[in-house]
Amino acid sequence: METNNNLNPFSKITADKLKCVGEQYQTPLYVYDEALIKQRCKELNNLSAPYGKVIRYALKANTLAGILRIIDQAGLSFEASSLLEVLRAQHAGIAINKILLTSQETYDREGWQVLKPLLKQGLQLNLCSLKQLDDYSQNIQEPYPLSLRLHPGQGSGESASRNTGDAYACFGIHQRDLPAALQKIETAKLTVARIHMHIGSGGNPKLWLKHVDTQLKLIQEHFPAATILNLGGGLKEARMPEEKAADVHELFQEALKKVEAFYQKTGRQLIMEIEPGSWIMANSGYGLTKIMDIKSTGAYDFLVCDGGMDLNLRPLLYGARHPLYLVRANGERLFSPFWDAGDRDYVVNGCCCESGDSQTLNALGEIEPRRLKQPEVGDYCIIGGLGAYGSSMAASNYNSHLAPAEVLVKENGETVLLKRRQNLNHLCQNEILYDEFL
Ligand SMILES: Cc1ncc(COP(=O)(O)O)c(C=O)c1O
């Protein structure tokens, strides 16, 4: 039992502070912890890599401009999953030559018109299919160093839908298509400088390491000009007290040993790249909700909060478990899964008209009540682990709910608004009223 008013062991933001932020900016609300974001970036910057390293933050985890600026200032580079994500990062002030674009997208003439000047400015393009390779060689004449995403053949993730490496995931060029890809590369006289694989999110670290061998073998056999080994993201962050985070330092050291052995064997020094999203951002963000109602069906007791799937879609999407904290309306911590024993089971719901709008679901979409303490209407229910894949993924406008404001708690304790709450006008502004057709 921790007697201070903190919510967990990794953040200095207290229950009382979150209550004040909730009062000032109105719930539901995303709140981020600058100190923890910076600490995570620093830990990654400290990883040793004698032949060079690039740490790319996976933009999809959280694409808010204010967050990107913190990560940029901490010296990280970026990984984008769509052309619009690249443009959004540019809008936030990120230099184009710090971004690697790895996408399932293919582009029409208009798309290439947007891409071409970006490539000139140093955007790096990671090609993920034979069609992308064809399109690239038809559209680009300049000898930019190329990057290839290869399908690992075997993947691992926290759930099947977060495994990007098995046969049912179509990310990257499958190794059965490698001969065709190599043929196209030779014909178009392209130079492959980077080989990339991403096995999934939050999966088995042993498999993550095994793919270092797979990649090195491919580089040795087929890519004599490759200088960069990109190992993807997916490093597991522990959101719940019973989870174990990936030991990034140890994993990187083990990967480095393989890269050193490769150098001894081939004389080739490879730059190492990783692209974590969750590991940097997950625990740096909270979803603040207020308990609006408390109900029971006899079988289950429900806390109905003013934010749910519109704040955090992950439980409904793949049964993800997030820590749920309870804070009294006066700012006192009532319950933290890290320190307090609960005494009553609750289903924690949002207020969308959807029975799956619950923060307490398992991977089958079934209700799995959480042992908490008994709160009152007006207390706060705070969803932890929501800095990554929270606001960037939520079903924010379902039931015409407004996307929440997003606030940063700075290292010195001050709060800054990073994004305003939507208003009714934002919901309707692109709609065309039927009358206008008449
Ligand atoms: C290519 C790629 N890189 C990096 C990431 C980031 O993964 P994580 O947030 O699990 O670190 C993802 C996530 O889907 C990805 O697809």
Side-chain angles (χ1 to χ4, degrees):
M1 161 97 185
E2 178 80 20
T3 49
N4 66 34
N5 208 18
N6 286 17
L7 293 184
N8 54 49
F10 35 80
S11 173
K12 292 197 170 63
I13 300 182
T14 59
D16 184 51
K17 178 71 186 177
L18 286 176
K19 167 240 157 191
C20 292
V21 179
E23 271 173 2
Q24 187 179 351
Y25 295 96
Q26 217 188 312
T27 58
L29 184 68
Y30 292 104
V31 181
Y32 303 107
D33 179 350
E34 183 184 39
L36 192 51
I37 300 170
K38 285 188 169 174
Q39 185 194 314
R40 286 307 171 98
C41 293
K42 194 171 162 196
E43 283 179 52
L44 293 171
N45 281 330
N46 285 341
L47 295 172
S48 129
Y51 313 133
K53 70 167 191 284
V54 180
I55 311 291
R56 298 188 177 279
Y57 166 65
L59 287 161
K60 62 182 84 67
N62 188 317
T63 326
L64 202 58
I67 300 291
L68 302 194
R69 281 171 174 267
I70 296 171
I71 294 174
D72 189 39
Q73 277 164 20
L76 268 56
S77 294
F78 297 87
E79 182 265 339
S81 57
S82 74
L83 182 51
L84 277 169
E85 217 169 63
V86 172
L87 297 174
R88 195 166 162 194
Q90 184 184 38
H91 184 253
I94 307 301
I96 285 295
N97 63 4
K98 292 180 89 177
I99 306 175
L100 172 70
L101 171 58
T102 303
S103 179
Q104 293 276 74
E105 296 169 347
T106 61
Y107 304 105
D108 57 11
R109 194 129 64 99
E110 236 174 73
W112 282 103
Q113 291 314 319
V114 177
L115 259 176
K116 280 180 188 175
L118 296 174
L119 291 171
K120 207 164 250 165
Q121 289 170 57
L123 173 70
Q124 295 152 70
L125 191 55
N126 193 16
L127 299 180
C128 305
S129 74
L130 295 180
K131 173 159 173 36
Q132 287 189 1
L133 247 177
D134 283 339
D135 290 354
Y136 181 85
S137 42
Q138 277 162 25
N139 282 281
I140 301 295
Q141 271 72 52
E142 290 83 351
Y144 299 129
L146 247 204
S147 176
L148 282 193
R149 178 175 186 172
L150 298 179
H151 190 291
Q154 190 189 8
S156 177
E158 275 176 328
S159 63
S161 53
R162 278 170 291 170
N163 173 336
T164 54
D166 272 313
Y168 53 77
C170 69
F171 299 98
I173 298 172
H174 198 273
Q175 286 167 54
R176 65 200 277 277
D177 286 333
L178 193 56
L182 292 170
Q183 185 62 58
K184 287 176 193 297
I185 287 162
E186 196 185 323
T187 310
K189 297 191 171 47
L190 302 173
T191 306
V192 177
R194 177 192 289 100
I195 291 298
H196 170 282
M197 271 187 195
H198 171 73
I199 69 164
S201 279
N204 180 350
K206 285 201 179 107
L207 200 68
W208 193 87
L209 269 181
K210 190 179 148 205
H211 281 92
V212 183
D213 296 325
T214 312
Q215 274 174 270
L216 290 174
K217 187 164 181 290
L218 287 164
I219 288 177
Q220 190 179 356
E221 288 173 2
H222 302 294
F223 300 100
T227 52
I228 306 168
L229 170 73
N230 184 313
L231 301 168
L235 303 162
K236 182 171 167 57
E237 176 56 307
R239 289 176 167 90
M240 295 293 288
E242 67 274 13
E243 288 178 350
K244 192 170 179 305
D247 184 334
V248 172
H249 183 75
E250 190 186 306
L251 277 177
F252 202 80
Q253 278 302 110
E254 289 302 313
L256 177 59
K257 281 186 202 156
K258 293 171 189 289
V259 169
E260 277 174 339
F262 181 82
Y263 167 61
Q264 296 305 330
K265 197 160 60 175
T266 64
R268 296 169 66 183
Q269 297 185 339
L270 299 176
I271 296 167
M272 295 168 71
E273 284 190 357
I274 53 171
E275 42 191 41
S278 309
W279 198 84
I280 297 173
M281 277 307 296
N283 283 327
S284 305
Y286 299 92
L288 247 69
T289 75
K290 218 170 217 180
I291 300 171
M292 302 167 73
D293 207 345
I294 301 179
K295 295 167 136 182
S296 179
T297 55
Y300 297 109
D301 292 332
F302 293 81
L303 305 180
V304 183
C305 305
D306 60 3
M309 64 188 277
D310 44 350
L311 207 61
N312 180 22
L313 191 60
R314 298 182 78 250
L316 180 58
L317 202 57
Y318 33 58
R321 284 166 62 81
H322 285 251
L324 299 172
Y325 305 99
L326 297 175
V327 172
R328 289 279 193 211
N330 68 3
E332 228 173 80
R333 185 185 84 222
L334 175 64
F335 176 79
S336 160
F338 288 88
W339 293 313
D340 305 315
D343 50 20
R344 195 159 168 161
D345 288 345
Y346 286 102
V347 175
V348 177
N349 279 17
C351 53
C352 287
C353 188
E354 190 73 31
S355 52
D357 180 13
S358 172
Q359 296 299 306
T360 44
L361 297 173
N362 65 22
L364 301 171
E366 297 161 342
I367 275 174
E368 212 170 65
R370 208 61 83 73
R371 182 136 291 201
L372 307 171
K373 279 201 171 150
Q374 188 174 354
E376 288 169 13
V377 168
D379 289 345
Y380 293 89
C381 179
I382 298 173
I383 307 165
L386 204 49
Y389 309 104
S391 73
S392 63
M393 200 185 237
S396 49
N397 288 151
Y398 186 49
N399 287 179
S400 296
H401 290 175
L402 302 173
E406 308 195 37
V407 171
L408 180 74
V409 178
K410 291 177 64 175
E411 280 179 301
N412 63 8
E414 281 171 25
T415 55
V416 196
L417 184 63
L418 296 184
K419 188 173 181 180
R420 281 185 280 276
R421 175 183 307 280
Q422 280 185 325
N423 58 37
L424 181 62
N425 189 39
H426 293 130
L427 284 188
C428 307
Q429 63 191 359
N430 292 338
E431 292 177 13
I432 297 160
L433 291 180
Y434 183 67
D435 281 359
E436 293 181 19
F437 292 125
L438 298 177

